[in-house]
Amino acid sequence: MIFLYLFLYNNKMNTERIISLQNLIDALQDCKRLNALAAVSGMPSSTFKFSLVRTLDGWKEELKQWSTNQDSPVPRKIAVSAMAVLPSNSFAPLIEVTAAAWLRNLHLIVKPARGSDKFVKRWIEIIRQLLPSFDITETFETSKLDYDRLIVFGSDETVDIFRKRFGREKDLFGFGHRFSIAYVDSDLENAAENAAADIVSWNQLGCLSPQTIFVKSKLVFDFAEVLAEKINKAEQIYPRGEVNIETSYEIQRIRREVAVRDNSKVIASTNSTAWTVLISPDNRLESCPLNRTAWVKPADFIQELNSILSPHIHHVEAIGIWPEDKLNSVLKEESKKLSDTYLLLGKMQSPSLSRMHSGLPPLAFTL
């Protein structure tokens, strides 16, 4: 809440911009616009629509609260500019940085990743139609343009490259490699359905996508079976689509490796790499090829995550919790230090605009 206070009272954001963003969210969910974006997304149409709508839905109630705040903010007097260098694996950063730039009255320059330029171009066309006064442009340059702030999404190596090159002359926000996990305390059926939705959304390629789900030891196999059933059901409606040869090989490799381990099991789609559930008694985190590949591992108490996550603590983006009463109790406990963001499982792909992002203050409040 402290960020919301600073946002509304210190940054003086125009209430009209909040309302305009609310209208934009509704307009983007128009069938014609969704189809236009889906056509250049490289994802199956139903999967793209499902993912985008879930992301936008996470902002609706929050924006409604901001727009009715009694101390309505006034417009910023000086607009600044920002360049966003986008990742190749997810459209979510483009959506978030667009909202943040609009709210802060920034001129936004977008540098697409290789292979995503068609989507970025279509996105900008639609945003310009819906927000004619929004100064948003596309570029493939980084050094020859005049901008005040540089926002970099990508691997840690990518962020380091930009930081070394531009860090002294630009105000740089770097969002490198991050991952998310989940913890299920009870209610396996609903937990599995919600986990499947978070895994299917954006094909598990965002930093908020759960890669490993921890459950009580005696429930690991039961939960994995239900999770596999739910992901398989979702695959029929929201197919993953094709992946490159390298990704397909990695999924097949890890399936073979886990299948021969003691007390482990693989439940997976047949004749394809569409989805995979990996069961292991070893609660240490392991690499995940994503693309609807999920680990299920044991943790009898959420406090066990302290030792499990400690070697990776600087890369934990969020922890999903189920059920809701467990989430509420966790938020009051010391274990909160494990992550800046705790989310209800099933809502991990519907994040708040006011959440901490990669350990940094929310984009909408700091750009």
Side-chain angles (χ1 to χ4, degrees):
M1 291 302 293
I2 187 170
F3 289 115
L4 179 57
Y5 176 86
L6 291 172
F7 186 40
L8 293 175
Y9 292 90
N10 294 340
N11 290 317
K12 305 296 185 183
M13 186 185 60
N14 190 344
T15 304
E16 291 182 3
R17 287 185 171 269
I18 301 174
I19 296 172
S20 296
L21 186 56
Q22 289 177 292
N23 295 335
L24 173 69
I25 289 172
D26 291 334
L28 283 172
Q29 296 183 58
D30 170 77
C31 186
K32 184 177 179 180
R33 294 189 181 97
L34 280 176
N35 287 335
L37 288 167
V40 290
S41 69
M43 300 172 66
S45 180
S46 62
T47 305
F48 173 82
K49 295 174 187 177
F50 174 74
S51 304
L52 179 61
V53 169
R54 283 173 63 82
T55 295
L56 297 177
D57 280 349
W59 302 347
K60 283 186 174 181
E61 186 60 33
E62 186 173 36
L63 289 170
K64 182 179 179 181
Q65 293 174 5
W66 293 356
S67 66
T68 57
N69 186 277
Q70 295 301 308
D71 293 273
S72 182
V74 298
R76 289 168 55 102
K77 294 181 179 179
I78 302 175
V80 294
S81 58
M83 171 177 282
V85 178
L86 301 176
S88 59
N89 65 335
S90 175
F91 298 125
L94 170 61
I95 299 164
E96 182 177 0
V97 79
T98 298
W102 169 254
L103 290 173
R104 297 303 300 270
N105 192 21
L106 299 178
H107 167 209
L108 179 62
I109 306 166
V110 178
K111 183 180 185 298
R114 184 181 304 170
S116 67
D117 52 308
K118 289 183 179 179
F119 180 86
V120 170
K121 191 179 295 293
R122 183 68 54 82
W123 174 263
I124 290 175
E125 288 174 357
I126 290 175
I127 296 300
R128 284 174 174 168
Q129 292 170 8
L130 298 173
L131 298 173
S133 64
F134 190 8
D135 191 358
I136 178 172
T137 55
E138 177 191 16
T139 186
F140 291 94
E141 293 285 346
T142 52
S143 57
K144 298 179 181 179
L145 297 172
D146 183 25
Y147 51 90
D148 301 284
R149 289 170 183 152
L150 180 60
I151 311 148
V152 181
F153 298 93
S155 65
D156 290 343
E157 292 76 16
T158 298
V159 172
D160 286 342
I161 289 171
F162 277 90
R163 196 178 300 281
K164 289 175 182 177
R165 187 176 178 187
F166 299 105
R168 292 184 178 180
E169 57 187 271
K170 302 292 183 184
D171 195 0
L172 190 146
F173 296 82
F175 301 97
H177 170 66
R178 308 282 282 195
F179 68 89
S180 295
I181 65 161
Y183 179 82
V184 172
D185 185 68
S186 59
D187 188 16
L188 300 192
E189 184 79 18
N190 288 318
E193 184 157 356
N194 285 316
D198 282 333
I199 290 167
V200 166
S201 184
W202 298 121
N203 282 338
Q204 203 190 11
L205 294 175
C207 63
L208 290 171
S209 303
Q211 300 180 18
T212 303
I213 303 172
F214 293 93
V215 298
K216 289 180 170 62
S217 301
K218 64 181 181 180
L219 301 176
V220 166
F221 283 88
D222 290 341
F223 176 77
E225 293 279 358
V226 182
L227 178 62
E229 175 189 330
K230 300 296 184 182
I231 297 177
N232 183 52
K233 183 178 179 180
E235 172 69 19
Q236 312 311 310
I237 307 170
Y238 310 112
R240 184 198 63 185
E242 297 297 321
V243 295
N244 60 41
I245 294 175
E246 292 80 5
T247 299
S248 178
Y249 174 82
E250 180 59 19
I251 294 171
Q252 293 177 63
R253 183 199 66 77
I254 204 165
R255 284 180 177 182
R256 291 192 298 268
E257 180 185 314
V258 174
V260 298
R261 293 184 190 177
D262 292 339
N263 302 314
S264 299
K265 185 177 180 180
V266 176
I267 312 174
S269 55
T270 55
N271 302 318
S272 78
T273 61
W275 59 268
T276 307
V277 176
L278 305 167
I279 309 166
S280 172
D282 183 349
N283 65 11
R284 291 175 297 180
L285 291 178
E286 300 187 61
S287 63
C288 179
L290 307 177
N291 295 282
R292 305 189 182 183
T293 303
W295 288 95
V296 178
K297 289 173 172 277
D300 288 319
F301 304 97
I302 195 168
Q303 289 78 10
E304 292 180 38
L305 298 184
N306 284 280
S307 58
I308 295 170
L309 294 179
S310 59
H312 316 277
I313 197 66
H314 297 298
H315 288 97
V316 178
E317 180 66 19
I319 299 176
I321 306 287
W322 187 266
E324 189 168 7
D325 59 350
K326 185 63 177 178
L327 172 63
N328 293 334
S329 67
V330 166
L331 291 174
K332 300 175 183 177
E333 296 171 0
E334 185 181 357
S335 58
K336 187 177 180 181
K337 66 184 180 183
L338 290 172
S339 174
D340 295 313
T341 303
Y342 285 82
L343 299 167
L344 187 65
L345 191 60
K347 298 289 186 181
M348 296 185 74
Q349 300 293 355
S350 303
S352 162
L353 278 170
S354 57
R355 74 176 181 91
M356 295 284 284
H357 195 306
S358 297
L360 299 173
L363 275 176
F365 303 170
T366 54
L367 286 184

